[in-house]
Amino acid sequence: MADEEDSGLYRNSIGEEPRLLRCTAGVALHIGGPALKAKAIEGLKGTNARLAAIVGSPSHWNELSSAAGGDKELADQYIARSDARHKDWEDSNRVYAKSSYDGEVDLHAPRFDAPVRDFTEGGYLRVASKLG
């Protein structure tokens, strides 16, 4: 294997691309859902060539992008199921809430999964935007 040539003017550029690929996969591992984490682990455990194939480049994230899309679909499905459960619960409680004379029964059901929804709807998207 030939030595790399330093092409940087002010910093040492040797090993720059493998470091960028590993950092990108590390961010994906940190912030990702199940599919993105699995793909990042696969890249980090493999050879530099396999990591490069999985990560790709900043303009086209290759397999990480597909995995992130799968995680986004799962998040959207979770939100839809959560909304349906919440609506069903409010609908079933509506009769009791309207028959309450002193407001003991609240018309609006609490969101027990609020922290999960917050991460799924907002937190994940906030940190995923750092990936690219």
Side-chain angles (χ1 to χ4, degrees):
M1 181 172 184
D3 290 337
E4 283 187 61
E5 184 178 318
D6 183 6
S7 61
L9 295 175
Y10 302 105
R11 324 180 19 184
N12 183 348
S13 65
I14 294 174
E16 187 174 79
E17 183 178 347
R19 280 193 313 270
L20 176 63
L21 294 173
R22 292 201 179 287
C23 286
T24 302
V27 170
L29 179 61
H30 179 70
I31 66 166
L36 189 56
K37 284 181 187 295
K39 195 50 75 172
I41 289 169
E42 180 184 336
L44 290 169
K45 287 173 59 176
T47 64
N48 283 344
R50 182 66 186 131
L51 180 62
I54 287 173
V55 174
S57 67
S59 62
H60 185 69
W61 289 117
N62 288 356
E63 295 177 36
L64 283 184
S65 178
S66 298
D71 287 343
K72 176 74 170 93
E73 286 179 31
L74 288 174
D76 291 343
Q77 291 171 9
Y78 175 83
I79 296 298
R81 286 192 312 270
S82 173
D83 288 342
R85 276 192 310 268
H86 188 76
K87 181 185 177 311
D88 289 347
W89 191 11
E90 283 193 341
D91 289 347
S92 65
N93 283 339
R94 190 171 317 281
V95 173
Y96 302 111
K98 290 190 174 200
S99 66
S100 173
Y101 293 108
D102 56 3
E104 289 178 0
V105 180
D106 192 7
L107 182 60
H108 302 289
R111 287 258 185 207
F112 289 111
D113 64 344
V116 176
R117 283 182 63 94
D118 177 55
F119 176 78
T120 304
E121 288 179 306
Y124 174 72
L125 296 176
R126 284 191 297 274
V127 292
S129 66
K130 295 177 191 288
L131 186 58

